[in-house]
Amino acid sequence: MASTEGSKLWGGRFVGDTDPIMEKFNASIAYDKRMWDADIRGSKAYVKALEKAKLVTRDEMNQIVQGLNQISEEWCQDIFVIKPGDEDIHTANERRLTELIGAPAGKLHTGRSRNDQVVTDMRLWLRDAISTLTDNALQLISSMVERAAAEIDVLFPGYTHMQRAQPIRWSHWILSHAVALSRDVDRLKEIKKRANVLPLGSGAIAGTPFDIDRELLRKELDFDGISLNSMDATGQRDFVVEFLFWASLCLTHLSKMAEDLMLYSTKEFSFITLSDAYSTGSSLMPQKKNADSLELIRSKAGRVFGSCAGFMMTLKGLPSTYNKDLQEDKEAMFDCYDTVHAVLQVTTGVMSTLKINQSVMEAALSPDMLATDLAYYLVRKGMPFREAHGVSGKAVFAAESKNIALNQLTVEDLSALSPLFGSDVSSVWDYGSSVEQYSASGGTAKSSVAAQVEHLRCWLKKQTQ
């Protein structure tokens, strides 16, 4: 049964009960209850500002704080009882506070609106969530960097357009994804800075008419700054959109990596073997070992994209300041957090436990992948690269016409294409030498990959300082 208007934070001018269907439609307690701690922290800080402004007495402040502490304990012990009429976490906590201490609870909301209260809760919650996701990402990057260091001598084919391109180090592939994730961490920390701005004290739209010390609130809640404009503070959700976009981009990176690993784990490639801990089977085909962990990582990217695009569509048609449409912000934010939190942990597990099949990786290298090296051979003898590229292409065509491997062309065959070819061309057909020539910063030579490992190790160390 719907509750009466008297239990609402917005009662007063309404007569009779809310329609039960509307009651359920309007409520957000089912999901915003996870902000209970942020809501209580915000209220504790706010009552101190009320006491300083002489809007509550010292004794009333102490009663309110004591009551809020008890409510916090109830949430911690999972014994807090949500009752009909608790449409959101703010209503639930204030209703319980009234039950515990009586009339003084009614003073807590003085000068405060749910408009500035909810966005304060969200910023506090997201700030903590970002810290958790940062730790998750750093753990994943660390596991990838150490794997790259341990397996630095393993060579395998690099691909462009899904075609064999050039020999590279397996570690070079790992680090290409670790670098992308390091940018994700940098971006996430920037979002945290922009989210860490205090909106409390903005009221519903116009600000507060009372002598609320917003600097005190900032310090109590450990915000970096104070919102400049009350209308903007209560109506904007840029920090949520940024987080949703960040989640979308991060999962784009992880989806790409998962796609590669799925291919590498197939029988056709057999470059890697996933741990049974991150694989599943078939209900019909006993031989199957499915890379469900990687498939789900890939699929979760679409889920997050949808949340980001959906919420931006909600925002684009809104007039200024707060509108109830903004209630959609929390489910999007919570779901994206939960999704990325799970994906980062599963990816760490996958990357930490998979086994590489080094002999298969190296057997997949083929002489045609050294066609570029053949062009470089000519460049080192003075031929312009564009001309050398053409000659090497003719060599590839000649080998294909004879149905032989590129390295089976004789010196005479190659000399017919260019007099610069000599007996020393045999040095081209060595995969180890091929990767070692890419020693410039960022390349796949051992020294360059080792430098990348060291760079990321130093970067990781700075993140934890």
PDB file of all heavy atoms in Angstrom, residues 93-115:
ATOM      1  N   ASN A  93      17.175   7.224   5.333  1.00  0.00           N
ATOM      2  CA  ASN A  93      18.056   7.585   6.450  1.00  0.00           C
ATOM      3  C   ASN A  93      17.417   8.636   7.356  1.00  0.00           C
ATOM      4  O   ASN A  93      17.537   8.563   8.584  1.00  0.00           O
ATOM      5  CB  ASN A  93      19.399   8.088   5.918  1.00  0.00           C
ATOM      6  CG  ASN A  93      20.307   6.958   5.470  1.00  0.00           C
ATOM      7  OD1 ASN A  93      20.115   5.798   5.860  1.00  0.00           O
ATOM      8  ND2 ASN A  93      21.307   7.281   4.663  1.00  0.00           N
ATOM      9  N   GLU A  94      16.732   9.618   6.773  1.00  0.00           N
ATOM     10  CA  GLU A  94      16.105  10.649   7.603  1.00  0.00           C
ATOM     11  C   GLU A  94      14.918  10.077   8.385  1.00  0.00           C
ATOM     12  O   GLU A  94      14.696  10.441   9.543  1.00  0.00           O
ATOM     13  CB  GLU A  94      15.662  11.828   6.737  1.00  0.00           C
ATOM     14  CG  GLU A  94      15.142  12.989   7.578  1.00  0.00           C
ATOM     15  CD  GLU A  94      14.898  14.263   6.789  1.00  0.00           C
ATOM     16  OE1 GLU A  94      15.660  14.525   5.835  1.00  0.00           O
ATOM     17  OE2 GLU A  94      13.951  14.991   7.129  1.00  0.00           O
ATOM     18  N   ARG A  95      14.169   9.185   7.747  1.00  0.00           N
ATOM     19  CA  ARG A  95      13.056   8.549   8.460  1.00  0.00           C
ATOM     20  C   ARG A  95      13.563   7.750   9.659  1.00  0.00           C
ATOM     21  O   ARG A  95      13.025   7.854  10.764  1.00  0.00           O
ATOM     22  CB  ARG A  95      12.308   7.623   7.489  1.00  0.00           C
ATOM     23  CG  ARG A  95      11.056   6.932   8.067  1.00  0.00           C
ATOM     24  CD  ARG A  95      11.357   5.544   8.608  1.00  0.00           C
ATOM     25  NE  ARG A  95      12.027   4.729   7.624  1.00  0.00           N
ATOM     26  CZ  ARG A  95      12.770   3.660   7.946  1.00  0.00           C
ATOM     27  NH1 ARG A  95      12.936   3.310   9.217  1.00  0.00           N
ATOM     28  NH2 ARG A  95      13.372   2.952   7.006  1.00  0.00           N
ATOM     29  N   ARG A  96      14.641   7.019   9.459  1.00  0.00           N
ATOM     30  CA  ARG A  96      15.204   6.233  10.566  1.00  0.00           C
ATOM     31  C   ARG A  96      15.777   7.147  11.645  1.00  0.00           C
ATOM     32  O   ARG A  96      15.643   6.877  12.855  1.00  0.00           O
ATOM     33  CB  ARG A  96      16.292   5.296  10.040  1.00  0.00           C
ATOM     34  CG  ARG A  96      16.951   4.426  11.108  1.00  0.00           C
ATOM     35  CD  ARG A  96      15.949   3.564  11.819  1.00  0.00           C
ATOM     36  NE  ARG A  96      16.582   2.691  12.801  1.00  0.00           N
ATOM     37  CZ  ARG A  96      16.028   2.302  13.933  1.00  0.00           C
ATOM     38  NH1 ARG A  96      14.785   2.702  14.248  1.00  0.00           N
ATOM     39  NH2 ARG A  96      16.673   1.506  14.763  1.00  0.00           N
ATOM     40  N   LEU A  97      16.384   8.246  11.242  1.00  0.00           N
ATOM     41  CA  LEU A  97      16.930   9.194  12.214  1.00  0.00           C
ATOM     42  C   LEU A  97      15.812   9.770  13.080  1.00  0.00           C
ATOM     43  O   LEU A  97      15.973   9.927  14.306  1.00  0.00           O
ATOM     44  CB  LEU A  97      17.675  10.324  11.492  1.00  0.00           C
ATOM     45  CG  LEU A  97      18.396  11.344  12.373  1.00  0.00           C
ATOM     46  CD1 LEU A  97      19.527  10.676  13.173  1.00  0.00           C
ATOM     47  CD2 LEU A  97      18.960  12.493  11.531  1.00  0.00           C
ATOM     48  N   THR A  98      14.681  10.064  12.471  1.00  0.00           N
ATOM     49  CA  THR A  98      13.527  10.574  13.217  1.00  0.00           C
ATOM     50  C   THR A  98      13.035   9.538  14.223  1.00  0.00           C
ATOM     51  O   THR A  98      12.673   9.878  15.360  1.00  0.00           O
ATOM     52  CB  THR A  98      12.400  10.958  12.249  1.00  0.00           C
ATOM     53  OG1 THR A  98      12.888  11.947  11.317  1.00  0.00           O
ATOM     54  CG2 THR A  98      11.197  11.527  12.997  1.00  0.00           C
ATOM     55  N   GLU A  99      13.021   8.281  13.827  1.00  0.00           N
ATOM     56  CA  GLU A  99      12.612   7.218  14.746  1.00  0.00           C
ATOM     57  C   GLU A  99      13.553   7.139  15.945  1.00  0.00           C
ATOM     58  O   GLU A  99      13.123   6.871  17.070  1.00  0.00           O
ATOM     59  CB  GLU A  99      12.603   5.866  14.022  1.00  0.00           C
ATOM     60  CG  GLU A  99      11.527   5.722  12.971  1.00  0.00           C
ATOM     61  CD  GLU A  99      11.629   4.424  12.181  1.00  0.00           C
ATOM     62  OE1 GLU A  99      12.617   3.679  12.378  1.00  0.00           O
ATOM     63  OE2 GLU A  99      10.724   4.150  11.360  1.00  0.00           O
ATOM     64  N   LEU A 100      14.817   7.412  15.721  1.00  0.00           N
ATOM     65  CA  LEU A 100      15.813   7.253  16.784  1.00  0.00           C
ATOM     66  C   LEU A 100      15.884   8.446  17.728  1.00  0.00           C
ATOM     67  O   LEU A 100      16.026   8.278  18.938  1.00  0.00           O
ATOM     68  CB  LEU A 100      17.201   7.010  16.160  1.00  0.00           C
ATOM     69  CG  LEU A 100      17.403   5.674  15.431  1.00  0.00           C
ATOM     70  CD1 LEU A 100      18.757   5.667  14.713  1.00  0.00           C
ATOM     71  CD2 LEU A 100      17.344   4.514  16.429  1.00  0.00           C
ATOM     72  N   ILE A 101      15.816   9.675  17.183  1.00  0.00           N
ATOM     73  CA  ILE A 101      16.067  10.849  18.038  1.00  0.00           C
ATOM     74  C   ILE A 101      14.905  11.840  18.063  1.00  0.00           C
ATOM     75  O   ILE A 101      14.954  12.831  18.806  1.00  0.00           O
ATOM     76  CB  ILE A 101      17.361  11.579  17.612  1.00  0.00           C
ATOM     77  CG1 ILE A 101      17.199  12.233  16.231  1.00  0.00           C
ATOM     78  CG2 ILE A 101      18.551  10.628  17.621  1.00  0.00           C
ATOM     79  CD1 ILE A 101      18.362  13.150  15.858  1.00  0.00           C
ATOM     80  N   GLY A 102      13.887  11.618  17.240  1.00  0.00           N
ATOM     81  CA  GLY A 102      12.722  12.500  17.304  1.00  0.00           C
ATOM     82  C   GLY A 102      12.916  13.825  16.592  1.00  0.00           C
ATOM     83  O   GLY A 102      13.553  13.900  15.535  1.00  0.00           O
ATOM     84  N   ALA A 103      12.391  14.880  17.188  1.00  0.00           N
ATOM     85  CA  ALA A 103      12.282  16.193  16.555  1.00  0.00           C
ATOM     86  C   ALA A 103      13.578  16.769  16.001  1.00  0.00           C
ATOM     87  O   ALA A 103      13.567  17.384  14.926  1.00  0.00           O
ATOM     88  CB  ALA A 103      11.655  17.179  17.539  1.00  0.00           C
ATOM     89  N   PRO A 104      14.733  16.623  16.685  1.00  0.00           N
ATOM     90  CA  PRO A 104      15.962  17.221  16.126  1.00  0.00           C
ATOM     91  C   PRO A 104      16.283  16.744  14.721  1.00  0.00           C
ATOM     92  O   PRO A 104      16.920  17.471  13.948  1.00  0.00           O
ATOM     93  CB  PRO A 104      17.039  16.788  17.123  1.00  0.00           C
ATOM     94  CG  PRO A 104      16.310  16.622  18.418  1.00  0.00           C
ATOM     95  CD  PRO A 104      14.975  16.062  18.029  1.00  0.00           C
ATOM     96  N   ALA A 105      15.841  15.544  14.360  1.00  0.00           N
ATOM     97  CA  ALA A 105      16.106  15.028  13.015  1.00  0.00           C
ATOM     98  C   ALA A 105      15.494  15.929  11.950  1.00  0.00           C
ATOM     99  O   ALA A 105      16.024  16.035  10.839  1.00  0.00           O
ATOM    100  CB  ALA A 105      15.557  13.608  12.884  1.00  0.00           C
ATOM    101  N   GLY A 106      14.409  16.581  12.265  1.00  0.00           N
ATOM    102  CA  GLY A 106      13.731  17.451  11.318  1.00  0.00           C
ATOM    103  C   GLY A 106      14.519  18.697  10.963  1.00  0.00           C
ATOM    104  O   GLY A 106      14.185  19.393   9.998  1.00  0.00           O
ATOM    105  N   LYS A 107      15.556  18.995  11.738  1.00  0.00           N
ATOM    106  CA  LYS A 107      16.375  20.175  11.459  1.00  0.00           C
ATOM    107  C   LYS A 107      17.533  19.881  10.495  1.00  0.00           C
ATOM    108  O   LYS A 107      18.167  20.810   9.984  1.00  0.00           O
ATOM    109  CB  LYS A 107      16.937  20.747  12.760  1.00  0.00           C
ATOM    110  CG  LYS A 107      15.872  21.307  13.701  1.00  0.00           C
ATOM    111  CD  LYS A 107      16.510  22.008  14.894  1.00  0.00           C
ATOM    112  CE  LYS A 107      15.465  22.669  15.779  1.00  0.00           C
ATOM    113  NZ  LYS A 107      16.078  23.440  16.887  1.00  0.00           N
ATOM    114  N   LEU A 108      17.816  18.596  10.277  1.00  0.00           N
ATOM    115  CA  LEU A 108      18.985  18.230   9.467  1.00  0.00           C
ATOM    116  C   LEU A 108      18.893  18.747   8.036  1.00  0.00           C
ATOM    117  O   LEU A 108      19.910  19.079   7.425  1.00  0.00           O
ATOM    118  CB  LEU A 108      19.161  16.697   9.465  1.00  0.00           C
ATOM    119  CG  LEU A 108      20.296  16.133   8.609  1.00  0.00           C
ATOM    120  CD1 LEU A 108      21.656  16.706   9.045  1.00  0.00           C
ATOM    121  CD2 LEU A 108      20.319  14.602   8.689  1.00  0.00           C
ATOM    122  N   HIS A 109      17.703  18.836   7.511  1.00  0.00           N
ATOM    123  CA  HIS A 109      17.541  19.203   6.104  1.00  0.00           C
ATOM    124  C   HIS A 109      17.423  20.715   5.899  1.00  0.00           C
ATOM    125  O   HIS A 109      17.169  21.186   4.789  1.00  0.00           O
ATOM    126  CB  HIS A 109      16.302  18.500   5.535  1.00  0.00           C
ATOM    127  CG  HIS A 109      16.403  18.192   4.059  1.00  0.00           C
ATOM    128  ND1 HIS A 109      17.421  17.435   3.506  1.00  0.00           N
ATOM    129  CD2 HIS A 109      15.597  18.546   3.014  1.00  0.00           C
ATOM    130  CE1 HIS A 109      17.236  17.332   2.204  1.00  0.00           C
ATOM    131  NE2 HIS A 109      16.135  18.006   1.870  1.00  0.00           N
ATOM    132  N   THR A 110      17.633  21.487   6.952  1.00  0.00           N
ATOM    133  CA  THR A 110      17.523  22.948   6.873  1.00  0.00           C
ATOM    134  C   THR A 110      18.455  23.508   5.799  1.00  0.00           C
ATOM    135  O   THR A 110      19.674  23.337   5.867  1.00  0.00           O
ATOM    136  CB  THR A 110      17.859  23.593   8.234  1.00  0.00           C
ATOM    137  OG1 THR A 110      17.015  23.047   9.241  1.00  0.00           O
ATOM    138  CG2 THR A 110      17.691  25.104   8.161  1.00  0.00           C
ATOM    139  N   GLY A 111      17.884  24.170   4.817  1.00  0.00           N
ATOM    140  CA  GLY A 111      18.688  24.800   3.765  1.00  0.00           C
ATOM    141  C   GLY A 111      19.248  23.823   2.746  1.00  0.00           C
ATOM    142  O   GLY A 111      19.930  24.230   1.805  1.00  0.00           O
ATOM    143  N   ARG A 112      18.984  22.549   2.939  1.00  0.00           N
ATOM    144  CA  ARG A 112      19.508  21.529   2.025  1.00  0.00           C
ATOM    145  C   ARG A 112      18.372  20.967   1.183  1.00  0.00           C
ATOM    146  O   ARG A 112      17.262  20.760   1.668  1.00  0.00           O
ATOM    147  CB  ARG A 112      20.187  20.409   2.825  1.00  0.00           C
ATOM    148  CG  ARG A 112      20.823  19.319   1.970  1.00  0.00           C
ATOM    149  CD  ARG A 112      21.654  18.334   2.779  1.00  0.00           C
ATOM    150  NE  ARG A 112      20.843  17.481   3.649  1.00  0.00           N
ATOM    151  CZ  ARG A 112      21.309  16.397   4.270  1.00  0.00           C
ATOM    152  NH1 ARG A 112      22.585  16.063   4.140  1.00  0.00           N
ATOM    153  NH2 ARG A 112      20.521  15.678   5.049  1.00  0.00           N
ATOM    154  N   SER A 113      18.663  20.715  -0.069  1.00  0.00           N
ATOM    155  CA  SER A 113      17.701  20.091  -0.973  1.00  0.00           C
ATOM    156  C   SER A 113      18.211  18.704  -1.331  1.00  0.00           C
ATOM    157  O   SER A 113      19.421  18.441  -1.273  1.00  0.00           O
ATOM    158  CB  SER A 113      17.560  20.932  -2.251  1.00  0.00           C
ATOM    159  OG  SER A 113      16.902  20.217  -3.274  1.00  0.00           O
ATOM    160  N   ARG A 114      17.301  17.831  -1.721  1.00  0.00           N
ATOM    161  CA  ARG A 114      17.782  16.560  -2.251  1.00  0.00           C
ATOM    162  C   ARG A 114      18.584  16.784  -3.534  1.00  0.00           C
ATOM    163  O   ARG A 114      19.387  15.925  -3.915  1.00  0.00           O
ATOM    164  CB  ARG A 114      16.612  15.603  -2.519  1.00  0.00           C
ATOM    165  CG  ARG A 114      16.095  14.920  -1.269  1.00  0.00           C
ATOM    166  CD  ARG A 114      15.117  13.808  -1.601  1.00  0.00           C
ATOM    167  NE  ARG A 114      13.946  14.303  -2.324  1.00  0.00           N
ATOM    168  CZ  ARG A 114      12.962  13.529  -2.760  1.00  0.00           C
ATOM    169  NH1 ARG A 114      13.007  12.215  -2.555  1.00  0.00           N
ATOM    170  NH2 ARG A 114      11.917  14.045  -3.394  1.00  0.00           N
ATOM    171  N   ASN A 115      18.384  17.927  -4.185  1.00  0.00           N
ATOM    172  CA  ASN A 115      19.137  18.214  -5.404  1.00  0.00           C
ATOM    173  C   ASN A 115      20.632  18.311  -5.139  1.00  0.00           C
ATOM    174  O   ASN A 115      21.442  17.745  -5.877  1.00  0.00           O
ATOM    175  CB  ASN A 115      18.643  19.515  -6.040  1.00  0.00           C
ATOM    176  CG  ASN A 115      17.215  19.416  -6.533  1.00  0.00           C
ATOM    177  OD1 ASN A 115      16.568  18.376  -6.378  1.00  0.00           O
ATOM    178  ND2 ASN A 115      16.709  20.499  -7.120  1.00  0.00           N
TER     179      ASN A 115
END
